[in-house]
Amino acid sequence: MVISMADAFSPTHTTGNVFLDKMPAAARAALHPHLQHVSLKHTREIYAAGEPMDALFFPIHSIISVVADLREGETVEIGIVGREGMSGHTVALGQSIARHRSNVQVGDSAECISADHFRAALQSEPELQAYVERYAYATTIALAQSVACNSHHPANERCARWLLMAHDRVEGDVVLLTQEFLGQMLGVRRGSVTIAASALQEAGFISYSRGHISIRNRSGLESASCECYDTVEHELKGIMGYSISKTADMDADARLVTKRQDGSASPSSDGHAGSTY
């Protein structure tokens, strides 16, 4: 894969990628001579399944979607990577071949490092290895929670959760996303996404027009989401020491306790909370 490199990375520069900016100083010092700022265009393929991962990316306001392509031709999202983390973290675990396809879902930029330089930094700095292993653990927990969410929670709650996750990772309050693509990411038919998005729009939580989803009422969208959003943020904060949630009015831990006690209050097309579409 050809990597288009741009501005050199400075060790005193705040990148906007929280994973990089919060890592221990010694770990960051091992990486910074080799990091480059790159542009990530929408739909760009970062990794192809079965191919080597020859570079690692630390998104800034981009979102990288990790998807599984099924034999029947369907595509299901199994994870997203934004400013909270990095792509290709399994290189630190000795796995250099991509098991799933990764594409840029929301374009912007990222810091980038070659896999060879990253492996060398891992060998020279134990703190970096430990830090990436913690992130790998947090990613595993997020994946497990996503599996549980997809199995037990209705489409409207999952839609709200996904929009919150996307909102946390982009700059501003607008997410560029079609309903068709959102349906693929959620593993549901487009009709279910249309009903869910319409309910969220009627409640005043979002507005939707021609692939642009605007977050109008963040706290309302959180009330419409299942507990999985707060669970993953709670685990990320506990394991990595940071959260990327844009919410300021209530701590994620407090919201999680409230949801587990009271249940979700998500809007539906028939006016009843928590309806399955």
Side-chain angles (χ1 to χ4, degrees):
M1 179 177 64
V2 177
I3 303 170
S4 175
M5 298 296 186
D7 301 330
F9 176 82
S10 167
T12 60
H13 175 60
T14 299
T15 67
N17 177 276
V18 183
F19 176 85
L20 282 178
D21 296 339
K22 295 293 186 180
M23 70 168 47
R28 196 167 187 229
L31 290 181
H32 83 77
H34 310 291
L35 285 169
Q36 299 288 331
H37 190 75
V38 300
S39 175
L40 293 183
K41 301 297 184 182
H42 174 59
T43 73
R44 173 181 172 179
E45 185 174 84
I46 297 298
Y47 306 128
E51 297 294 326
M53 296 181 288
D54 57 3
L56 289 78
F57 297 85
F58 306 85
I60 296 176
H61 294 300
S62 299
I63 297 178
I64 296 173
S65 180
V66 184
V67 299
D69 295 311
L70 306 181
R71 291 181 180 178
E72 295 80 5
E74 296 179 343
T75 297
V76 179
E77 183 179 72
I78 58 177
I80 64 173
V81 182
R83 64 192 183 96
E84 84 293 344
M86 61 176 291
S87 70
H89 68 271
T90 55
V91 170
L93 307 179
Q95 301 297 318
S96 59
I97 302 298
R99 301 303 174 188
H100 302 284
R101 177 166 56 89
S102 294
N103 291 83
V104 178
Q105 182 186 118
V106 176
D108 186 77
S109 60
E111 299 295 338
C112 177
I113 188 171
S114 73
D116 289 341
H117 281 135
F118 186 75
R119 280 189 284 263
L122 289 172
Q123 293 176 1
S124 68
E125 184 46 63
E127 281 196 87
L128 177 60
Q129 179 74 41
Y131 188 72
V132 178
E133 287 177 355
R134 292 210 315 271
Y135 174 72
Y137 179 50
T139 300
T140 300
I141 289 178
L143 176 60
Q145 191 70 35
S146 179
V147 171
C149 183
N150 290 343
S151 299
H152 295 287
H153 292 148
N156 56 323
E157 294 181 2
R158 291 161 53 203
C159 182
R161 177 201 172 205
W162 198 96
L163 291 175
L164 288 170
M165 293 169 60
H167 187 218
D168 288 338
R169 289 162 175 80
V170 302
E171 186 174 22
D173 297 323
V174 178
V175 181
L176 302 180
L177 189 71
T178 65
Q179 290 190 13
E180 181 178 5
F181 188 80
L182 183 55
Q184 291 178 350
M185 297 305 97
L186 295 175
V188 299
R189 295 179 179 178
R190 181 175 178 177
S192 296
V193 175
T194 300
I195 294 173
S198 296
L200 294 173
Q201 183 165 253
E202 290 173 6
F205 301 159
I206 68 170
S207 61
Y208 177 82
S209 177
R210 296 184 179 181
H212 292 68
I213 299 178
S214 299
I215 309 303
R216 298 298 187 189
N217 184 336
R218 170 82 188 202
S219 60
L221 194 60
E222 287 167 354
S223 73
S225 170
C226 56
E227 68 185 58
C228 297
Y229 170 78
D230 287 324
T231 296
V232 171
E233 282 300 306
H234 171 82
E235 294 293 347
L236 179 67
K237 187 174 181 179
I239 296 169
M240 300 303 297
Y242 59 77
S243 169
I244 63 165
S245 176
K246 287 183 177 177
T247 298
D249 57 348
M250 183 185 294
D251 183 80
D253 294 355
R255 293 198 311 271
L256 181 58
V257 171
T258 300
K259 280 187 179 291
R260 286 178 173 171
Q261 290 176 342
D262 301 337
S264 177
S266 56
S268 68
S269 59
D270 61 3
H272 293 84
S275 297
T276 301
Y277 296 145

